[in-house]
Amino acid sequence: MIRIGVINIDVSHPLAFSQILMQGNRARYVAVYNDGFRSDEEVDAFIRKRGLECRCATVEELAEKVDVGFIQGCNWDRHLDYAEPFLKLGKPVFIDKPMVGCMKDIRRLEALMSRGLKVLGSSSLRYANEIADFLAIPEEERGRVLNIMGTCGVDEFNYGIHVVESIGAMVQKPVSVRFDGAGEVDGRRAESYTVQFEGGETATYLTVTGVWLPCNFLVTTTKGVYNINVDAGKVYKAMLDRVCDQLETGKRALSPVSDILDSIKIMLAGRLSREKGGEPVRIDEIPEDDPGFDGDAFERGYGAAAAPIYLNEPEG
């Protein structure tokens, strides 16, 4: 049984992930460290309803007690600080999406990995069964990818990363990003971006803010067109199965972290292109000091709007 220690229960993922894992016998949440915005009352409810062993006073204490850390705070600017104690013990971490939000932290994560940090992640949509099914079709049958159009909605980065990571599961090596334009109706804003890839492929991703929308994809290949409608109710289990596979066997079952970081770079370049009025921005020309997406500001807004989900969860 894989022993999971969770760092911050800000988002709904610890609730949903733990419920899924409790239906099997491969892994369990066993301990928690929390210094996020969730109240002590919510943390106590999370512990009680899952039969956790303890609440740890430090991340270092948590790392000692578990096999893997699940970093699930909503502030991506703090993720790497939480990962450091696991590096010292040679233990892996799952860093929830978005892993990081700026070039400085991308470089820091790369440095941590060069020192031996074992990182798993990130967006569950990357591992959707429907995307896996498409990729399982032999290329000589389905054709080579020419273009992918993908859409999702809630917010620009925290949720928008889902659609970009999903595209990254199907085509790799981005070169540049162009902001195409935006529209707004009834307070709902849609922004469109086009990515150019090294192999000649393109992808257009659309993020919609102010409303939840499913992630859907239209994939055009050299031989046909494929509609991929992701069942959001199954993506968590699909990813957690892969996490357990990799932890149990030591063989790669998840995407390389370099591909996940490329997805973050795509969104950084897209933001810069928007600021430049649609001028394409090359991935390799993102300034190292670019401020990126502000995790502190996101945490303040998310925490202020968050409902007490762990108190409302049924007992038993």
Side-chain angles (χ1 to χ4, degrees):
M1 182 78 69
I2 299 165
R3 293 170 55 83
I4 298 169
V6 61
I7 300 164
N8 286 343
I9 58 170
D10 296 350
V11 297
S12 63
H13 287 178
L15 186 156
F17 287 11
S18 59
Q19 289 176 338
I20 290 168
L21 292 172
M22 288 169 69
Q23 296 171 18
N25 60 3
R26 301 181 76 184
R28 289 286 188 278
Y29 282 62
V30 299
V32 58
Y33 168 80
N34 192 84
D35 66 357
F37 64 81
R38 295 290 174 186
S39 67
D40 289 343
E41 189 178 11
E42 280 207 84
V43 177
D44 290 343
F46 181 81
I47 292 170
R48 183 180 68 254
K49 293 173 183 180
R50 282 150 189 80
L52 267 61
E53 296 172 6
C54 63
R55 177 177 184 174
C56 296
T58 65
V59 179
E60 288 76 9
E61 179 189 355
L62 181 79
E64 290 278 0
K65 293 179 180 293
V66 301
D67 299 319
V68 59
F70 273 34
I71 301 172
Q72 300 194 282
C74 69
N75 185 345
W76 51 82
D77 290 340
R78 303 177 68 191
H79 285 174
L80 300 187
D81 289 339
Y82 295 131
E84 293 257 14
F86 291 87
L87 170 62
K88 294 176 182 177
L89 297 175
K91 295 183 178 181
V93 289
F94 172 90
I95 305 179
D96 217 331
K97 61 82 188 171
M99 279 190 176
V100 293
C102 64
M103 285 301 299
K104 179 187 71 174
D105 281 346
I106 286 175
R107 299 302 183 220
R108 182 182 171 193
L109 179 54
E110 291 169 341
L112 289 172
M113 292 179 65
S114 72
R115 290 167 48 201
L117 179 65
K118 304 166 189 174
V119 180
L120 312 174
S122 184
S123 163
S124 57
L125 271 293
R126 179 182 281 272
Y127 310 107
N129 294 326
E130 295 83 0
I131 292 175
D133 290 344
F134 168 75
L135 293 173
I137 303 171
E139 190 174 272
E140 57 268 22
E141 178 182 338
R142 62 172 164 83
R144 292 187 59 192
V145 171
L146 285 171
N147 175 263
I148 303 171
M149 299 183 67
T151 185
C152 74
V154 171
D155 55 47
E156 178 182 3
F157 184 55
N158 177 68
Y159 207 87
I161 193 67
H162 279 310
V163 69
V164 180
E165 282 213 36
S166 300
I167 289 169
M170 294 180 272
V171 60
Q172 293 81 45
K173 300 187 183 302
V175 174
S176 64
V177 186
R178 182 188 70 237
F179 170 66
D180 296 324
E184 188 166 336
V185 176
D186 295 334
R188 310 295 194 250
R189 179 176 175 83
E191 295 187 345
S192 178
Y193 301 82
T194 295
V195 187
Q196 184 75 48
F197 291 86
E198 189 176 283
E201 310 95 334
T202 58
T204 298
Y205 66 93
L206 183 75
T207 60
V208 180
T209 55
V211 61
W212 184 89
L213 293 175
C215 281
N216 291 316
F217 303 89
L218 182 69
V219 183
T220 302
T221 75
T222 53
K223 292 190 175 183
V225 178
Y226 295 81
N227 288 291
I228 300 178
N229 298 310
V230 173
D231 184 343
K234 297 180 179 179
V235 292
Y236 292 164
K237 184 179 186 305
M239 184 193 68
L240 288 169
D241 284 344
R242 293 199 188 201
V243 170
C244 290
D245 289 345
Q246 187 160 328
L247 290 171
E248 289 170 350
T249 68
K251 297 179 181 178
R252 179 166 295 286
L254 298 160
S255 295
V257 174
S258 58
D259 287 356
I260 296 170
L261 294 182
D262 276 348
S263 296
I264 295 169
K265 292 175 186 176
I266 285 172
M267 300 204 76
L268 292 172
R271 184 186 58 80
L272 287 171
S273 177
R274 183 182 63 204
E275 292 177 358
K276 294 174 180 288
E279 176 185 334
V281 173
R282 288 183 57 87
I283 297 294
D284 59 9
E285 293 180 352
I286 302 171
E288 294 292 320
D289 62 352
D290 178 69
F293 297 95
D294 190 337
D296 290 330
F298 182 81
E299 180 181 24
R300 289 192 295 271
Y302 190 97
I309 56 175
Y310 299 99
L311 296 180
N312 296 335
E313 180 191 10
E315 296 279 353

